Amino acid sequence: MAEARMNTLSVSQLSTLRWDLESDVHAYSQRGFGGIGLYRPKLDDYGVERTIELLSEHSMVATSLSWGGGFTGSDGRPFEDAVSDAVNAVIQAARLRAGTLIVLAGGKNNHIKTHLRRTLCQALVRVAAVASEHGIKLALEPFHPGCGDEWSFVHDLQSTLDIIERVDNPSLGLVLDTYHVGMDRAALRWLPDVAQHIHLVQLGDGRHCPHGEMNRCLLGDGCVPLPELIELLHENGYCGSWEVEVIGEDVELISYDHLLDHTKRYLDHTLGQLC
């Protein structure tokens, strides 16, 4: 059974993509981050058993595992292969005692909307049943259409909530990534409705609305109203992990050490305002 991750500060491994898993764990732990968002390619390179031992040595928890999904065939895989891979990811997450398994729906792949929703729900019903058996939370992530068409046809909180209600399994919730939804002021009005379904919050910032490749900046340097979003989530009962994802052209010339130091200072200051 996955442990509760109450207010754990975490960093997604995508933020330090060029480092290996061991370097990530050492650097995050050194700066006082208690969690790590694991990325499956890095996990596969290092090995699940070694990762379990390494996290234990540093008293660090896996706040998420990225990712399972792609059920629409947009990445070239047949439906059954994508479902089988997602089930394997659930079992990996259980072994790692990860807080959540992040799920991406897959791109449109020239399908009509009703077929896409039906395909996604069929997959999620099956994967959520396995997740329930293993005590793992599935977190469907809506992607901004400006940078995520190939990753997900689910773009907003309303659509995500509709899918969660259709699947009707408490193991299924959502990832709220502030980079993807935080620049839409209308999304703020949906937060009270979706707060009970949020399994993970990923904090991301950007200097402009997503267009093309994801291009995040250091937290606080962009136009996402992070303090307002964090306070609103807190007020609506969110008490899970805060996982940071910083990746893109605006930060690629910044050293990972500086990125992590800045992130920790920003979170300590911003979250400290809630106390």
Side-chain angles (χ1 to χ4, degrees), residues 9 11 18 21 31 33 44 56 64 71 86 94 105 119 123 150 171 179 199 201 204 229 235 264 266-268:
L9 300 186
V11 181
R18 295 187 300 274
L21 192 146
R31 290 166 173 83
F33 290 100
D44 291 342
S56 177
S64 71
F71 304 117
T119 299
E150 73 274 28
S171 293
Y179 176 75
H199 289 338
V201 172
L229 281 165
E235 289 174 352
K264 188 60 165 59
Y266 181 87
L267 290 178
D268 286 346

Side-chain angles (χ1 to χ4, degrees), residues 95-261:
R95 291 175 65 193
L96 292 157
R97 301 177 70 84
T100 57
L101 172 64
I102 295 175
V103 178
L104 303 184
K108 292 180 180 177
N109 200 26
N110 296 318
H111 295 305
I112 61 172
K113 188 174 291 186
T114 53
H115 176 77
L116 288 167
R117 280 200 302 264
R118 183 169 61 250
T119 299
L120 176 58
C121 289
Q122 286 172 350
L124 289 175
V125 165
R126 292 169 58 181
V127 179
V130 179
S132 294
E133 291 175 9
H134 289 83
I136 292 299
K137 294 179 179 179
L138 298 182
L140 182 62
E141 181 170 4
F143 258 59
H144 192 284
C147 67
D149 266 349
E150 73 274 28
W151 297 103
S152 180
F153 71 88
V154 181
H155 297 311
D156 56 63
L157 294 178
Q158 184 176 4
S159 300
T160 308
L161 186 60
D162 177 63
I163 290 161
I164 290 169
E165 290 174 345
R166 286 170 184 253
V167 173
D168 193 25
N169 186 315
S171 293
L172 178 63
L174 65 97
V175 180
L176 191 145
D177 187 324
T178 62
Y179 176 75
H180 289 299
V181 303
M183 297 185 209
D184 179 8
R185 300 299 299 184
L188 298 179
R189 297 197 296 270
W190 277 94
L191 283 186
D193 295 314
V194 303
Q196 63 178 313
H197 300 290
I198 297 174
H199 289 338
L200 177 69
V201 172
Q202 287 188 319
L203 298 174
D205 203 351
R207 292 192 173 95
H208 53 76
C209 195
H211 181 70
E213 295 291 324
M214 277 195 292
N215 188 19
R216 303 169 186 241
C217 62
L218 294 175
L219 298 185
D221 285 0
C223 59
V224 176
L226 287 171
E228 182 181 354
L229 281 165
I230 290 170
E231 184 172 10
L232 191 55
L233 287 162
H234 179 75
E235 289 174 352
N236 281 278
Y238 181 74
C239 55
S241 301
W242 305 100
E243 184 179 293
V244 176
E245 187 174 305
V246 183
I247 186 171
E249 185 179 350
D250 283 350
V251 294
E252 66 182 16
L253 297 180
I254 298 172
S255 74
Y256 288 159
D257 288 313
H258 176 70
L259 184 153
L260 293 172
D261 289 339

Side-chain angles (χ1 to χ4, degrees), residues 40 67-71 77-93 101 122-124 126-128 130-131 138:
R40 289 178 72 192
W67 50 272
F71 304 117
R77 290 183 300 171
F79 176 78
E80 288 297 333
D81 287 359
V83 172
S84 177
D85 178 69
V87 168
N88 289 336
V90 168
I91 294 168
Q92 269 189 335
L101 172 64
Q122 286 172 350
L124 289 175
R126 292 169 58 181
V127 179
V130 179
L138 298 182

